[in-house]
Amino acid sequence: MIAERPTLKLVDRLYLTAAWNGFKVTLRHFLGRKVTMQYPEERWAVPPGYRGAPYLVRDQTGRTKCVACQLCEFICPPRAIRVTPPGPAVDPSTGNVEKRPRQFEINMLRCIYCGLCQEVCPEEAIFLMQDYSLTGCSREEMVYDIEKLLALGGVHHDHVRKWDRVRREAAAQETFPPQTAS
Amino acid sequence: MKQSQQSNDPLASPPGMISVTVDGRTVLVPRTMPDWQGRQVPTTMLQACELAGVTVPHYCYHPKLPVAGNCRMCLVEYGVPALGPDRKPVRQPDGSLVIKKSPRPAIACATPVSPGMEIYTSTPTVKLMRQSVLEFLLINHPLDCPICDQAGECKLQEYSVEYGRASSRFAETKVHKNKQIDLGPRIMLDQERCILCSRCIRFTRDVVGDDALGIINRGSYSAIAAYPGTTFDNNYTLNTADICPVGALTSKDFRFQMRVWFLKETMSLCASCGTGCNIVIGSRENCIYRFTPRQNDAVNSCWMCDYGRLNYRWIERTDRLTRPGGSKLTSPDWEDAINGIAAALKKAVPGHIAIVASARLTNEELYLVRRLAQFLGAPTDCVPRSGPADNLLLCADRNPNTKGAQLLGIAASPPGVNLPVFARLIRNGTIRSLLVFGEDVTRHGITADDLARLDFLAASDIHTNGTTAVSHYFLPGCAHVEKRGSFTNVHGRIQRFEKAVDPPGLARPELHWLRELVCRVTGQSMGGTVESVFEAMRAEVPAFRNIAWADLGDHGVATHG
Amino acid sequence: MPSERHLILKNIRKPGYSTDIECYLRHGGYQALRKALALQPVAQPDGTAIGPKEQIRREVEISGLRGRGGAGFSCGMKWSLVDRKSGKPIYLVCNADESEPGTFKDRQIIHRDPHQLIEGMIIACYANDVHLAFIYIRGEFIEGARILERALEEARAAGFLGRNILGTGYDLDIYIHRGAGAYICGEETGLIESLEGKRPYPRIKPPYFPAVLGLYQCPTIVNNVETLCAVKHIVDMGGAEYARLGTPDNTGTRLVCISGHVKRPGCYEIEVGKVTFRDLIFDEAFGGGLHDARQLKAIIPGGVSAKVFRAGEKVRVTKRAADGKMFETEMDVLDLPYDFTSVSAAGSMSGSGAIIVLDDSADMVEVLANISEFFAHESCGQCTPCREGSLWMAKILRRLAKGNGQPADLALLLSVADQIPGGRTICAFGEACSWPVQSLLVKFGDEFRAKVQATADKRPDRAFAEVQ
Amino acid sequence: MSWALPKEVEEKVDSLVGRYPQPRSAVVMVLHALQEHFGCISPEAIEWTARKLGLRPINVLELVTFYPMFRREPFGRFHLRICRTLSCALAGSHQLHRHICERLGLNPEKPGPQTSADGLFTVEFVECLASCGTAPVIMCNETQHEQMTIEQVDKLLDECRCKCRTERQGGLAAEHGFEP
């Protein structure tokens, strides 16, 4: 479709009305209530559901929730996440959660805060938190490693605790047939 | 009229064929088909369905293992032509057969087809049966897919998506078994994930002949186990991890290293012995994570040995040659190196030069060596390598291309017989120049002292070695995973392989620089691709006549050698 | 007036009868064997002759004998299916793995009249050209195995076993093989696997039909203890005479085991089809009625795997009238004659001849939990539906019995039970473990619903409790 | 302690193996013989059986773990098998089991066989013993006791204790050269 160019009258071509209309907006804001914020002295109250920087969390027992399934690495559109799996050595401290990442890096310069990593995580181990202002002096510094991510993420108060339940269930397992109370 | 009726009649099939109908599509299938040992036995419903292009999901069935029939995933409904009181099939007025549907389903993996049989694989009943088998398999299965290495290539996951229920109805406590059981040096077992398909047991008992695994306990508490105190340690244990449809058996080598969906799959060959097992290389970002066998019934069926499978770590060793070098090369520059060698070779006198090539080089590379040798009038030989063979796949000849080297006239007969002769001739001053491609001759009878007598020594290899250390020029080569080409296995089958990862540093595939060297020395021109070298080779070498590169396909062809 | 008809139990019931061979011989023992071995070829009109072995097989076929192990498959037919042309040896295995709960008939024969079984077995072996036979006896019959072992020694010493039996040139050895506590060994291919020294996993059919590919991949006959004893009597009296007992489709006599809430539980021998459930439970000659002031609640007609009958249930059966016409009729379950055909026409099975009587003191949820736990314990674990389903059902039922049920559990239970049978499993165990669940849930649904309702009302939601 | 098999047991095993066309068939019978002699099936017994029959130990372990009659730990002097299946349950076998457990200081709720603290009794709930007509039944070692009541159970336990006492005294007397 071709848009018709409007034919301008003389009064329009003087641009005085346009300039005046612009001034009116400026004047209104100049006189009206202030809406800008004195950042960084003043900070914005982040609304719930805001998608800030993704961090890793621990559960109530202090265990890293991430099991290095690498789904976040797979789904991440800008490829900001890099997970190094633990390799074959058996870590007896991990119990029935046989796996945790040896290294987990997020390149915060690449991250687009899309939240897909949180969405895809089967373990609820990564969350987009409320941090929106990430700064650093070098590119290397902006690649957050696992210690940093966990420290920033803190503890997640998990209601399900599926691995603990599995452990409890296994410990309490009765052989068959269970005895009858009669 | 009668003619056309007969041609449509399922009971009147050509000899040796049976007409069956799968989901409404009538197909002709052979009356017998090879079983896991290759014996001709009556065709099963599952094979017939496969021929008709219909997939029947299954866990315990494996084409190369005896049938167990225990997973019940392949249950299908079927009907056979109804028989009248005269034991003759009943027909509709239009001549078509009346089909009597069986009231009970049958397992497709073990039930033979009969003429006129109709197989129904997508009825609501069949779908319901698959759904219920999946539900049963999952009730006691730990839901630890995020941890499990099988995730991504797990039949339980795949079929659950395709046929399973959306949610679980199981509210009881699960049966718990042992995890992280050390079955042997290369295999880890997780009993909870096992669905008791018994593939591993059948494989190790019937294919390998090492009856090391069994099922202990009974009922829902059944679990796969090896006898306590024994280790599951034959040369084929890792195949059980391949055929395990779930993550119960995992390779310790690959365990928790990389998720399978990240792996790039490259069609290749195992270069650890002369058998030439077909493999798939799993790599990510220039790093190799695993070798897995690729089915080729003419070579390795579905299997490969642990020795070959784990023989890849050397590729990443730190002593790789990453640039050209040598005592006469001032800068690590390919151009200078090739020019220097070419210049020296042009001065070489026939009869005073010899070439030692490796039977690990590809047919195409060895063909270029052959051109060089013919031009220079140089005698050639290869270094033989051998080790104990077993009765399944591992071959005594540990070079992947000895047969190719023989067909191309590079290897003496038997290979290596010329090496002591070369050593003697070097010592008595007859041989003044030596070219070594891909071997360390100091470990095969030609000492460093002998090499020091030479006027000219050029060598190539993958790692630094005794020969490259004293050579005037050395060139960095590539492992077979870093290049393309073809090998001829001990049975004379020529098979091709593709490049999976990039070579380190300045290393270039031998084919590239050998071709340049041949062109510079001989003054002939020649295409630089594997295909063009192969074309030239087949025009010249009788054993490869009439075999085009494209003919090799995924499974190779037999040479005329 | 219904009464017992003794054939197999004839001697056992005599006072002072012992397991010695002398005692057996005094009571006419091994006469049938002598008769069988003395048979001569009979010339046919067309010039051919029927050999003595084929004559015995024909007699068995004429007798209409149906296997007494549970399935009620024609014995003559079973023998006729044996592949006699393979050139491989033929084996016979006596299935003495009596393990269907409620059944204890083979125990009577083995413990009190072992020679009767041995004689029947020798005849069956002779008729089928068997030179090596086994008695697969359940492991718990320790005493029974000892008695049989001694009886075999005696028979051997008397020349009824071993080489050149009674001078006829026929060789036969019979050995005892003990099981070690597995219900699945009663399934004939499971029994064969067990006898081969493997886990008793039933085999897939096709291709492993015992008559063609049985023990050691050779043709094999597996017969129940009672069936083999009946063979002796068939040879004794002649097939036609034996067929005159009972009804046309259900010939001969049968041992019926009555247990549960009756005054006189025990093993009784009846003429098949001539005695009804009412007779078996209430008649003084049999069960003798319920305990005082108790009402009949349910009848399990053929071992715990059979579908249950509710007291007062009306069943529809097709009967043959005197003029040979078939007609359908409705009757009280108690009036149902006890034979294979009638009980299966009424929707259950007479199985191994074990009747368990339940009176109104029985808690049906507890009964079903007990049965399901039996099957969950005995499932061999080879194929998926039965391995997982039997334990799942048992777990749900134990939870219900303990009072932790929810109304939704009943539908779930029924749905799980529906997912196991109908040819989805390798052997009939799948049917066996789900039939009781299906039938009890349908016929005693009120009782189950009342139980879960009573508990569900006062319990918080289970899933919610889990999260807490 | 080294594992040794007396000659007569080995001879019995040999005769058992000789019965079958394939030695593997004898495995359950051999295990019965070994359990009868040793009281349980030890790893040595499994390995010996496997060697004897030309099998792999796992083949034998598969069976030992499948059949509930085989035990890998020694049981008490008296093994009480109480039938828990339907007919016996209707006749009160669970009450008998509970009573026995309470008398022997065992936990009636605990699944699987349990041995009393004095090592005299092992109590086990088993599936149908095929004597439903005389329910409830209890097998004490190899002897079957039918239509058991609480009183009879008490009597049985006392008899067992008594028998054990005389056995001990007999053994003691034999040691000192007395006639019992």
Side-chain angles (χ1 to χ4, degrees):
Chain A
M1 197 186 88
I2 298 163
E4 285 287 317
R5 180 179 279 274
T7 43
L8 297 180
K9 287 183 244 148
L10 179 66
V11 62
D12 294 327
R13 282 157 68 188
L14 281 174
Y15 294 107
L16 282 176
T17 39
W20 170 242
N21 284 342
F23 257 125
K24 273 203 305 198
V25 173
T26 312
L27 208 65
R28 195 167 69 239
H29 285 293
F30 186 74
L31 298 173
R33 199 168 59 84
K34 287 192 182 72
V35 291
T36 49
M37 183 185 280
Q38 297 304 307
Y39 186 85
E41 287 79 18
E42 266 183 86
R43 294 279 173 141
W44 168 54
V46 182
Y50 178 79
R51 297 199 302 226
Y55 297 145
L56 292 177
V57 296
R58 296 178 189 275
D59 70 4
Q60 291 98 315
T61 59
R63 193 180 63 78
T64 313
K65 290 192 80 181
C66 175
V67 297
C69 76
Q70 294 181 282
L71 279 176
C72 50
E73 179 176 0
F74 182 69
I75 203 87
C76 182
R79 302 205 182 181
I81 299 175
R82 159 125 322 208
V83 183
T84 312
V90 174
D91 178 358
S93 69
T94 53
N96 60 355
V97 200
E98 299 165 89
K99 207 172 153 203
R100 62 175 55 154
R102 187 192 298 156
Q103 185 53 273
F104 193 113
E105 291 170 333
I106 303 180
N107 186 342
M108 294 297 180
L109 296 174
R110 279 179 161 246
C111 180
I112 55 168
Y113 312 104
C114 63
L116 285 181
C117 49
Q118 175 179 340
E119 195 85 357
V120 80
C121 183
E123 298 294 325
E124 303 195 345
I126 188 165
F127 286 93
L128 265 65
M129 307 255 174
Q130 304 197 323
D131 285 10
Y132 51 85
S133 160
L134 305 178
T135 50
C137 300
S138 66
R139 286 180 177 274
E140 292 72 41
E141 201 182 315
M142 292 308 290
V143 178
Y144 287 18
D145 66 1
I146 186 165
E147 279 79 31
K148 197 165 178 183
L149 291 169
L150 282 168
L152 289 166
V155 173
H156 174 237
H157 289 278
D158 184 354
H159 296 295
V160 178
R161 314 270 306 270
K162 78 170 184 190
W163 297 112
D164 275 2
R165 211 191 65 217
V166 170
R167 189 178 48 75
R168 273 204 315 277
E169 220 178 78
Q173 171 163 294
E174 48 188 20
T175 51
F176 203 81
Q179 301 290 288
T180 327
S182 59
Chain B
M1 179 62 205
K2 203 178 175 191
Q3 196 72 37
S4 72
Q5 190 179 319
Q6 271 207 338
S7 63
N8 287 333
D9 187 352
L11 298 184
S13 313
M17 301 296 273
I18 289 182
S19 165
V20 294
T21 305
V22 180
D23 290 344
R25 244 191 77 209
T26 305
V27 284
L28 272 180
V29 300
R31 190 170 283 274
T32 61
M33 281 179 81
D35 71 351
W36 65 284
Q37 288 170 309
R39 284 183 312 206
Q40 289 290 328
V41 293
T43 304
T44 63
M45 287 179 171
L46 196 136
Q47 289 167 328
C49 288
E50 223 148 76
L51 291 174
V54 173
T55 308
V56 179
H58 54 265
Y59 288 111
C60 66
Y61 170 79
H62 188 284
K64 299 295 171 189
L65 293 177
V67 172
N70 62 31
C71 72
R72 317 309 285 178
M73 193 64 196
C74 67
L75 282 170
V76 291
E77 290 192 293
Y78 68 102
V80 288
L83 293 181
D86 55 350
R87 311 290 298 157
K88 295 235 175 71
V90 185
R91 288 179 189 275
Q92 307 273 24
D94 66 350
S96 63
L97 291 164
V98 175
I99 298 294
K100 197 171 117 234
K101 197 172 158 189
S102 163
R104 291 160 77 87
I107 43 173
C109 66
T111 315
V113 290
S114 58
M117 182 184 259
E118 292 197 350
I119 305 171
Y120 316 105
T121 72
S122 52
T123 60
T125 319
V126 171
K127 284 180 182 162
L128 215 59
M129 287 190 296
R130 288 175 187 165
Q131 192 187 51
S132 59
V133 168
L134 272 171
E135 179 172 38
F136 285 136
L137 286 176
L138 283 170
I139 58 171
N140 285 314
H141 189 90
L143 298 179
D144 60 357
C145 302
I147 289 176
C148 180
D149 264 337
Q150 192 80 3
E153 51 184 9
C154 173
K155 287 278 175 228
L156 202 53
Q157 279 185 332
E158 286 168 21
Y159 293 157
S160 292
V161 171
E162 214 163 333
Y163 311 106
R165 271 175 193 282
S167 60
S168 171
R169 304 189 293 171
F170 186 74
E172 321 304 317
T173 53
K174 286 179 186 257
V175 172
H176 292 279
K177 300 174 195 165
N178 293 325
K179 295 178 98 73
Q180 296 182 21
I181 298 171
D182 201 336
L183 269 193
R186 294 175 292 282
I187 286 282
M188 190 82 102
L189 166 67
D190 187 316
Q191 290 178 335
E192 286 189 338
R193 292 185 196 142
C194 175
I195 57 165
L196 295 162
C197 70
S198 77
R199 276 184 179 186
C200 51
I201 298 177
R202 283 176 281 147
F203 170 76
T204 190
R205 183 186 62 208
D206 298 323
V207 177
V208 186
D210 173 27
D211 194 357
L213 300 179
I215 299 176
I216 57 164
N217 303 333
R218 76 151 93 149
S220 209
Y221 296 86
S222 302
I224 298 287
Y227 187 72
T230 62
T231 50
F232 180 44
D233 190 16
N234 61 57
N235 195 21
Y236 293 88
T237 59
L238 284 170
N239 291 297
T240 60
D242 295 334
I243 56 175
C244 184
V246 294
L249 292 167
T250 48
S251 155
K252 283 190 189 171
D253 180 67
F254 181 64
R255 189 177 158 82
F256 300 159
Q257 298 280 17
M258 190 44 64
R259 307 301 282 187
V260 294
W261 53 76
F262 287 120
L263 297 181
K264 179 181 82 175
E265 297 197 327
T266 311
M267 199 188 73
S268 185
L269 298 172
C270 174
S272 295
C273 80
T275 305
C277 292
N278 291 211
I279 64 166
V280 172
I281 299 173
S283 62
R284 185 192 185 199
E285 296 178 354
N286 252 356
C287 176
I288 292 173
Y289 285 93
R290 65 172 182 185
F291 287 176
T292 43
R294 176 162 58 90
Q295 184 171 356
N296 184 346
D297 290 351
V299 181
N300 59 318
S301 186
C302 295
W303 325 119
M304 75 182 291
C305 74
D306 291 1
Y307 165 76
R309 186 191 300 246
L310 298 179
N311 191 11
Y312 66 89
R313 284 282 155 85
W314 55 270
I315 295 164
E316 288 164 18
R317 250 160 57 184
T318 48
D319 61 344
R320 283 289 299 266
L321 287 174
T322 55
R323 54 181 183 78
S327 55
K328 293 205 174 150
L329 192 66
T330 47
S331 66
D333 185 77
W334 274 104
E335 196 60 30
D336 293 352
I338 298 290
N339 283 339
I341 297 170
L345 290 183
K346 276 181 188 158
K347 281 185 272 170
V349 184
H352 295 277
I353 179 164
I355 298 178
V356 178
S358 173
R360 289 166 165 173
L361 296 177
T362 67
N363 290 315
E364 298 76 28
E365 288 157 359
L366 288 170
Y367 168 70
L368 293 171
V369 173
R370 171 190 160 114
R371 292 274 289 259
L372 202 60
Q374 281 174 345
F375 185 81
L376 298 172
T380 61
D381 202 358
C382 287
V383 173
R385 242 175 222 95
S386 66
D390 66 21
N391 54 4
L392 200 55
L393 289 176
L394 187 62
C395 161
D397 176 7
R398 295 293 161 82
N399 278 323
N401 202 19
T402 307
K403 186 80 181 181
Q406 284 172 330
L407 293 176
L408 287 159
I410 301 293
S413 182
V417 76
N418 280 351
L419 294 177
V421 181
F422 290 170
R424 203 176 64 236
L425 293 178
I426 292 171
R427 275 171 218 144
N428 71 20
T430 313
I431 292 180
R432 306 298 309 156
S433 304
L434 184 66
L435 291 175
V436 182
F437 295 116
E439 293 286 1
D440 179 7
V441 290
T442 60
R443 289 161 64 188
H444 299 281
I446 303 176
T447 63
D449 289 343
D450 297 336
L451 296 178
R453 295 162 182 265
L454 292 166
D455 292 343
F456 178 71
L457 171 64
S460 78
D461 203 0
I462 298 169
H463 299 103
T464 52
N465 65 32
T467 308
T468 58
V470 297
S471 54
H472 301 130
Y473 291 94
F474 68 76
L475 303 172
C478 285
H480 77 290
V481 300
E482 293 160 351
K483 61 189 178 191
R484 303 174 65 222
S486 68
F487 287 144
T488 311
N489 79 357
V490 284
H491 302 297
R493 190 176 191 83
I494 176 165
Q495 309 183 94
R496 68 183 196 188
F497 57 90
E498 299 295 328
K499 174 184 157 178
V501 294
D502 290 329
L506 297 178
R508 284 166 62 191
E510 283 84 344
L511 185 100
H512 291 188
W513 47 259
L514 271 172
R515 177 195 150 266
E516 274 175 39
L517 199 59
V518 169
C519 292
R520 301 254 171 107
V521 172
T522 64
Q524 301 157 342
S525 70
M526 187 181 224
T529 62
V530 174
E531 285 84 349
S532 53
V533 176
F534 191 87
E535 277 301 306
M537 177 174 79
R538 81 166 171 135
E540 189 179 327
V541 184
F544 300 107
R545 187 162 302 145
N546 297 334
I547 301 173
W549 176 257
D551 293 343
L552 298 184
D554 288 349
H555 296 131
V557 291
T559 56
H560 314 297
Chain C
M1 189 64 197
S3 64
E4 288 193 70
R5 175 72 168 85
H6 284 163
L7 220 55
I8 290 167
L9 296 184
K10 192 168 68 194
N11 292 332
I12 294 175
R13 290 289 169 86
K14 284 181 182 155
Y17 186 76
S18 75
T19 56
D20 298 342
I21 194 163
E22 286 80 27
C23 184
Y24 186 63
L25 289 169
R26 264 204 312 281
H27 286 84
Y30 289 107
Q31 288 307 319
L33 175 63
R34 286 182 195 277
K35 183 178 169 188
L37 292 177
L39 286 173
Q40 294 301 319
V42 175
Q44 291 290 97
D46 62 356
T48 57
I50 304 178
K53 294 173 179 180
E54 204 178 337
Q55 286 172 42
I56 303 173
R57 296 205 296 266
R58 286 208 176 171
E59 288 300 315
V60 171
E61 200 142 9
I62 291 165
S63 76
L65 176 66
R66 292 174 72 164
R68 304 296 197 229
F73 190 75
S74 158
C75 180
M77 173 85 95
K78 200 175 209 173
W79 289 8
S80 72
L81 293 174
V82 171
D83 179 7
R84 295 176 206 281
K85 298 198 183 79
S86 64
K88 293 190 265 191
I90 300 170
Y91 294 104
L92 185 138
V93 185
C94 167
N95 185 348
D97 188 74
E98 186 167 55
S99 39
E100 178 73 35
T103 320
F104 46 98
K105 60 190 177 71
D106 299 345
R107 165 188 284 273
Q108 318 296 325
I109 298 166
I110 292 165
H111 279 76
R112 304 206 190 140
D113 199 1
H115 282 288
Q116 185 180 189
L117 168 62
I118 293 166
E119 185 178 1
M121 254 185 104
I122 299 171
I123 296 170
C125 289
Y126 177 68
N128 289 293
D129 247 325
V130 174
H131 297 284
L132 182 59
F134 296 95
I135 302 176
Y136 190 103
I137 185 169
R138 62 176 300 181
E140 288 89 343
F141 284 180
I142 304 168
E143 190 58 36
R146 217 166 272 151
I147 292 167
L148 272 176
E149 200 78 74
R150 213 190 70 213
L152 285 173
E153 278 308 312
E154 289 174 340
R156 223 166 264 143
F160 298 123
L161 268 180
R163 299 192 70 79
N164 193 12
I165 293 172
L166 298 177
T168 56
Y170 173 61
D171 303 337
L172 171 68
D173 256 317
I174 300 180
Y175 292 115
I176 305 288
H177 183 95
R178 288 181 61 201
Y183 176 78
I184 201 68
C185 293
E187 204 278 346
E188 58 180 6
T189 53
L191 183 147
I192 287 169
E193 285 279 301
S194 174
L195 195 49
E196 285 186 9
K198 300 172 187 155
R199 283 168 73 88
Y201 282 169
R203 296 176 176 174
I204 48 172
K205 292 150 264 185
Y208 298 105
F209 295 106
V212 182
L213 293 172
L215 187 61
Y216 312 122
Q217 305 297 310
C218 299
T220 304
I221 302 166
V222 183
N223 278 143
N224 181 259
V225 172
E226 192 189 336
T227 316
L228 289 169
C229 289
V231 169
K232 179 214 138 157
H233 294 284
I234 288 165
V235 170
D236 217 4
M237 37 200 299
E241 184 65 26
Y242 186 88
R244 219 160 285 146
L245 292 169
T247 56
D249 289 342
N250 299 270
T251 56
T253 64
R254 242 191 120 170
L255 300 184
V256 181
C257 306
I258 306 173
S259 64
H261 293 137
V262 286
K263 279 190 185 143
R264 293 181 65 228
C267 181
Y268 302 95
E269 188 166 11
I270 60 163
E271 209 179 321
V272 191
K274 297 289 171 69
V275 180
T276 63
F277 278 104
R278 189 185 303 283
D279 302 331
L280 287 169
I281 296 169
F282 293 100
D283 199 280
E284 286 305 318
F286 299 104
L290 305 178
H291 296 290
D292 299 332
R294 286 290 174 196
Q295 295 291 312
L296 182 66
K297 187 174 199 176
I299 306 164
I300 300 176
V304 294
S305 50
K307 289 190 174 174
V308 70
F309 287 128
R310 192 166 42 80
E313 186 178 334
K314 295 277 179 283
V315 291
R316 294 192 72 82
V317 287
T318 316
K319 289 184 98 176
R320 191 191 296 269
D323 59 354
K325 282 204 181 113
M326 307 296 283
F327 67 100
E328 203 171 78
T329 173
E330 196 178 69
M331 57 167 81
D332 190 286
V333 67
L334 282 174
D335 295 321
L336 201 63
Y338 195 69
D339 61 59
F340 290 109
T341 321
S342 308
V343 183
S344 70
S348 184
M349 62 169 188
S350 66
S352 52
I355 299 175
I356 301 176
V357 181
L358 301 170
D359 68 20
D360 54 0
S361 67
D363 172 358
M364 295 317 264
V365 183
E366 188 58 51
V367 165
L368 187 55
N370 187 294
I371 294 173
S372 278
E373 278 168 8
F374 170 81
F375 285 115
H377 184 260
E378 297 298 340
S379 168
C380 74
Q382 187 189 8
C383 61
T384 312
C386 151
R387 174 180 72 228
E388 305 295 347
S390 59
L391 183 60
W392 189 2
M393 293 193 296
K395 281 182 170 176
I396 296 175
L397 279 161
R398 181 46 61 205
R399 188 158 54 77
L400 296 191
K402 278 187 175 164
N404 294 338
Q406 280 174 35
D409 286 335
L410 300 181
L412 172 64
L413 195 54
L414 202 56
S415 146
V416 173
D418 289 343
Q419 289 182 3
I420 305 171
R424 301 180 196 208
T425 50
I426 292 176
C427 72
F429 192 102
E431 276 79 10
C433 72
S434 50
W435 279 346
V437 178
Q438 289 172 330
S439 64
L440 262 97
L441 273 179
V442 169
K443 295 186 179 172
F444 295 91
D446 293 343
E447 206 167 313
F448 281 85
R449 274 189 292 276
K451 183 115 185 174
V452 291
Q453 205 55 53
T455 53
D457 289 345
K458 57 177 191 252
R459 273 181 58 81
D461 182 76
R462 200 183 127 76
F464 179 71
E466 190 71 56
V467 172
Q468 301 302 299
Chain D
M1 198 183 80
S2 73
W3 193 86
L5 197 65
K7 203 153 179 270
E8 66 268 20
V9 181
E10 181 142 17
E11 276 166 8
K12 189 177 170 192
V13 167
D14 286 334
S15 84
L16 286 173
V17 175
R19 293 174 171 189
Y20 299 94
Q22 292 180 8
R24 182 172 187 162
S25 284
V27 56
V28 172
M29 293 297 273
V30 171
L31 289 172
H32 271 306
L34 295 181
Q35 177 162 294
E36 219 163 84
H37 181 261
F38 291 104
C40 68
I41 310 260
S42 60
E44 291 85 355
I46 292 175
E47 284 150 30
W48 184 86
T49 310
R51 271 199 309 278
K52 183 84 191 169
L53 303 176
L55 301 174
R56 302 287 292 268
I58 183 69
N59 303 137
V60 183
L61 184 73
E62 280 189 316
L63 302 183
V64 171
T65 55
F66 186 91
Y67 293 111
M69 279 184 76
F70 294 129
R71 46 184 188 251
R72 299 167 75 189
E73 302 293 329
F75 276 10
R77 169 72 184 78
F78 299 100
H79 180 198
L80 299 175
R81 278 181 261 232
I82 304 154
C83 175
R84 64 156 288 283
T85 316
L86 191 58
S87 295
C88 287
L90 292 172
S93 67
H94 285 85
Q95 285 88 329
L96 293 184
H97 178 259
R98 180 168 290 273
H99 178 74
I100 294 173
C101 286
E102 277 163 8
R103 268 208 59 182
L104 299 176
L106 303 172
N107 176 11
E109 305 293 334
K110 208 178 142 202
Q114 296 181 74
T115 303
S116 60
D118 56 6
L120 219 51
F121 294 97
T122 298
V123 181
E124 188 183 11
F125 244 151
V126 295
E127 298 298 347
C128 190
L129 288 171
S131 191
C132 316
T134 53
V137 287
I138 294 178
M139 267 180 94
C140 177
N141 289 347
E142 299 183 358
T143 323
Q144 181 160 301
H145 299 267
E146 301 176 336
Q147 288 169 323
M148 294 300 277
T149 57
I150 300 271
E151 293 74 40
Q152 279 167 305
V153 162
D154 284 338
K155 211 172 125 213
L156 176 65
L157 292 180
D158 292 340
E159 272 169 16
C160 288
R161 285 226 168 85
C162 197
K163 193 173 169 198
C164 187
R165 214 169 296 133
T166 46
E167 270 174 13
R168 277 196 195 137
Q169 280 166 357
L172 216 62
E175 241 168 65
H176 292 273
F178 298 120
E179 285 296 313

